[in-house]
Amino acid sequence: MKSEKSLILSKFSASRGNKGVIAAAVLVYLFLYLPLAVVVIFSFNDSRLNAEWVGFTLDWYHKLFNNRDMLQAAGNSVLIACISALMASVLGTLAGMAIHRFRQKWLSALVLGPVAMPDILIGVSLLLMFMLLNVTLGTVSIILAHVSFCIGFVALAVQARMAGMDDSLIEAARDLGASPWQSFRLITLPLLLPGIIAGGLMAFTLSIDDFVITFFTAGVGSSTLPLEIYSMVKIAVTPEVNAVSTLLMLLTLVLILAISRISPQALRN
Amino acid sequence: MSRALPKLSAKTLLSLPPAAYLFLLFALPSLMMLFASFRYPGEYGGLAPWYYLEEGSLSFDLTLENWLRLFESDIYLGLLIKSLFIALLTTAICALMAYPVALTIARARKGRRELLLLLVILPFWSNFLVRIYAWMIIFSPQGAMTIAINELRALFDLAPISLMFSNVAVITCLVYVHLPFMILPLYANLEKHDPRLLDAAQDLGASRSQRFWLITWPQALPGLFAGAVLVFIPSLGIFAIPDLLGGTDGIMIGNVIKQQFVESRDWPFGSVLSLVLTGFTLLLIGLAAHFGRARGSEGKA
């Protein structure tokens, strides 16, 4: 009798513990989203101070679209992100295939090195090399730097895709007389494509969002959106920054939702 | 013979381009940095020549001075220890906050699980600077939080405080930025736990804390360790967060590295500090790999 009672009690305490866990989880989710919500809400606020709600306005967005430096930086960011994503997609696909097919551990380490190292180390070592080799800092040096840390993300997405691929398809194609190039173009590439696209979109997102590595490899006249935000924030906090931040978040949101549709595993690595 | 040849060329064709690219833009700069740490700084920034040709004889101009400078003053070692401590604290807070979230996701229904995971991933992918900026607004002196805290303090006759430009602001933002790195590996680990083990323990009369420490905790350790490495490494090298939220008291080792390369332009000493950071990173990655392997073979046995 007694043991039955204690069993019921312990079941009860277990469900209460479960509720406590869920409540704590809700609080952590709020912690993750409230700061971002603050940025978005104040971007529509009719006040210079990010302190209290005064009234709705689109003035800050209007100002933003008349800010020549910001528009130029945005254009530069998109250009850099497109070229970096394209280069990283090609190199990352090759690396992912090589690592999967030939189990090259050294290549895996080389590809993931720039992903694992703190950004600042990649940034300063590239700065050092570019300066010693007399490479002018600018759009080109930023692209070269971005590709180096994006390759790993594409390679991981491609590897995940290859792991789920049926190798017998390629063997069948070869048995039916396809050349290595034909079997690659007609079988491997179409099957890998979702992984490559997901990896390429991730590279685009990483490039357009990158601040630290860009900070060290950018030169005069090659500002990007994050660099522009940094220099604005350093001087003063204005709702114009909220407006550009909101737009940047919206872009990232669209990209990440697209990636999660194409290849859900790619995001979790 | 004829079969081996195309296979070899496919291997080279695939691995050579990315390997060459990363050798030039990852390995080479790291090696140049290692070499730079033994050179003298140039008169106007940069590096001084490392060899001289005088009257046909070659002389080298390399030094250990930069490395010795690290140990000569307490400033840099002190800052390194402070940075290690802040990164460790960040990791611990992340672990505490990540656990209920990871557990909730692992226990959720399959359909809801995807959504909850996406909600963790989204803030992680939003712009790094925007996430710091959000805390600049929250901690600002005109912000509602600072005003509320100071009104509360006034009730107890305490002097008003500033949240902005403090170590508290830095640690809060570090936790905020790195939390998803802890939640995801911890979730991946908790998801694999067999709930029947907990039920069995409960039926055998184990209390809540006994069930946690004897069953969940030992099983969760690999996930916790993976998350800890993913949080600790980037936290240790951070410079933007202390730069924007830390003020003069809040600086970390990353700020000094940035300073050596951008402002005071002492590249050899900047290289030494960067290499120390690299050393810590490699040590942790090595430990994580070793730990992961040990756990893996244990699981197989």
Side-chain angles (χ1 to χ4, degrees):
Chain A
M1 199 54 198
K2 197 185 168 196
S3 74
E4 199 175 307
K5 196 178 166 192
S6 77
L7 196 69
I8 292 166
L9 265 177
S10 72
K11 278 264 153 71
F12 175 71
S13 84
S15 83
R16 201 182 52 179
N18 209 359
K19 268 184 194 148
V21 166
I22 291 174
V26 170
L27 285 178
V28 174
Y29 273 108
L30 281 177
F31 173 74
L32 283 175
Y33 280 90
L34 271 182
L36 298 179
V38 166
V39 173
V40 175
I41 290 167
F42 281 131
S43 77
F44 298 108
N45 188 20
D46 196 6
S47 158
R48 276 210 76 79
L49 295 174
N50 278 311
E52 58 179 340
W53 182 256
V54 175
F56 181 85
T57 183
L58 286 174
D59 275 4
W60 305 113
Y61 290 90
H62 195 73
K63 262 200 158 155
L64 195 65
F65 286 106
N66 287 315
N67 185 336
R68 206 167 264 280
D69 289 345
M70 197 63 101
L71 291 180
Q72 202 166 13
N76 215 6
S77 277
V78 172
L79 177 79
I80 290 168
C82 283
I83 300 176
S84 302
L86 219 61
M87 286 173 69
S89 298
V90 175
L91 292 170
T93 304
L94 294 176
M97 287 176 66
I99 294 166
H100 180 83
R101 269 179 66 181
F102 306 111
R103 313 259 157 234
Q104 287 167 309
K105 277 209 168 136
W106 61 271
L107 187 61
S108 178
L110 196 60
V111 163
L112 294 179
V115 179
M117 284 285 165
D119 291 350
I120 190 170
L121 295 176
I122 309 289
V124 293
S125 64
L126 282 169
L127 169 70
L128 186 87
M129 184 181 79
F130 287 147
M131 295 301 265
L132 290 179
L133 298 180
N134 282 323
V135 176
T136 316
L137 296 182
T139 309
V140 176
S141 61
I142 298 175
I143 292 171
L144 289 174
H146 283 193
V147 173
S148 74
F149 71 80
C150 287
I151 292 177
F153 285 86
V154 182
L156 282 177
V158 168
Q159 263 174 274
R161 194 77 201 163
M162 284 205 89
M165 224 166 83
D166 189 355
D167 286 337
S168 59
L169 283 173
I170 294 168
E171 279 166 32
R174 297 298 298 276
D175 286 347
L176 292 170
S179 69
W181 169 246
Q182 277 175 323
S183 73
F184 170 76
R185 198 171 57 89
L186 297 172
I187 313 277
T188 314
L189 196 60
L191 284 173
L192 286 185
L193 209 57
I196 298 172
I197 292 172
L201 285 175
M202 272 202 276
F204 183 90
T205 317
L206 287 164
S207 167
I208 211 158
D209 273 341
D210 179 72
F211 164 66
V212 176
I213 293 166
T214 315
F215 178 81
F216 290 105
T217 51
V220 188
S222 62
S223 191
T224 66
L225 224 38
L227 289 185
E228 204 64 29
I229 293 176
Y230 178 72
S231 59
M232 277 177 94
V233 162
K234 267 290 209 186
I235 301 163
V237 172
T238 81
E240 217 182 319
V241 179
N242 295 49
V244 67
S245 300
T246 303
L247 293 178
L248 207 51
M249 274 194 270
L250 198 64
L251 176 70
T252 313
L253 182 71
V254 171
L255 285 166
I256 294 305
L257 289 179
I259 298 168
S260 73
R261 270 288 169 83
I262 299 166
S263 171
Q265 306 96 323
L267 283 174
R268 258 177 254 159
N269 288 311
Chain B
M1 248 336 246
S2 62
R3 278 186 66 88
L5 205 65
K7 203 172 184 184
L8 187 76
S9 74
K11 195 171 177 173
T12 324
L13 208 68
L14 289 176
S15 45
L16 189 66
Y21 190 92
L22 287 165
F23 177 76
L24 284 175
L25 284 132
F26 174 60
L28 188 62
S30 308
L31 292 173
M32 284 174 109
M33 181 167 256
L34 183 62
F35 189 50
S37 74
F38 297 105
R39 291 171 67 174
Y40 285 103
E43 225 169 303
Y44 307 104
L47 301 169
W50 59 277
Y51 62 90
Y52 291 96
L53 258 176
E54 270 170 26
E55 295 158 20
S57 73
L58 189 70
S59 63
F60 295 105
D61 206 15
L62 297 171
T63 176
L64 280 175
E65 233 169 69
N66 307 304
W67 284 92
L68 294 175
R69 215 178 124 191
L70 187 67
F71 302 100
E72 269 164 13
S73 84
D74 297 340
I75 303 173
Y76 301 111
L77 278 184
L79 210 54
L80 190 66
I81 291 167
K82 182 198 163 188
S83 305
L84 286 167
F85 177 72
I86 288 186
L88 201 64
L89 193 59
T90 302
T91 310
I93 298 173
C94 278
L96 283 177
M97 291 178 77
Y99 180 67
V101 178
L103 195 61
T104 304
I105 301 175
R107 283 175 179 174
R109 276 185 291 110
K110 191 114 178 78
R112 189 174 290 171
R113 209 178 264 188
E114 297 300 316
L115 178 72
L116 289 174
L117 273 177
L118 191 65
L119 284 175
V120 172
I121 291 166
L122 278 178
F124 159 70
W125 280 88
S126 69
N127 189 284
F128 174 58
L129 272 182
V130 172
R131 283 180 289 161
I132 304 174
Y133 175 65
W135 287 99
M136 291 177 77
I137 297 175
I138 294 170
F139 286 134
S140 84
Q142 299 101 24
M145 198 160 88
T146 310
I147 291 171
I149 288 176
N150 282 332
E151 273 173 5
L152 199 69
R153 286 176 68 91
L155 290 180
F156 299 97
D157 285 327
L158 292 166
I161 52 158
S162 166
L163 296 172
M164 191 69 176
F165 304 129
S166 65
N167 282 318
V168 174
V170 171
I171 293 169
T172 308
C173 194
L174 276 171
V175 168
Y176 180 67
V177 166
H178 297 112
L179 191 53
F181 286 126
M182 183 65 91
I183 296 176
L184 295 178
L186 204 53
Y187 153 74
N189 171 285
L190 291 177
E191 189 211 25
K192 283 181 285 189
H193 291 200
D194 186 349
R196 283 173 304 182
L197 279 175
L198 286 174
D199 286 343
Q202 193 173 350
D203 291 347
L204 292 170
S207 71
R208 255 183 86 71
S209 71
Q210 277 176 322
R211 292 200 300 270
F212 176 78
W213 289 111
L214 294 175
I215 296 171
T216 309
W217 173 257
Q219 285 187 91
L221 271 178
L224 193 67
F225 198 73
V229 171
L230 290 176
V231 172
F232 190 85
I233 291 174
S235 300
L236 188 61
I238 210 95
F239 90 88
I241 292 176
D243 193 49
L244 292 169
L245 287 167
T248 42
D249 288 344
I251 62 165
M252 290 170 69
I253 197 77
N255 300 79
V256 186
I257 294 178
K258 176 212 158 197
Q259 207 182 4
Q260 300 299 325
F261 278 95
V262 179
E263 284 132 37
S264 51
R265 310 233 322 137
D266 185 343
W267 289 3
F269 189 56
S271 299
V272 167
L273 293 173
S274 305
L275 288 164
V276 171
L277 194 55
T278 310
F280 274 107
T281 307
L282 291 177
L283 184 75
L284 277 165
I285 293 174
L287 273 176
H290 181 79
F291 197 76
R293 242 198 316 275
R295 283 272 152 185
S297 59
E298 200 176 280
K300 268 177 225 153

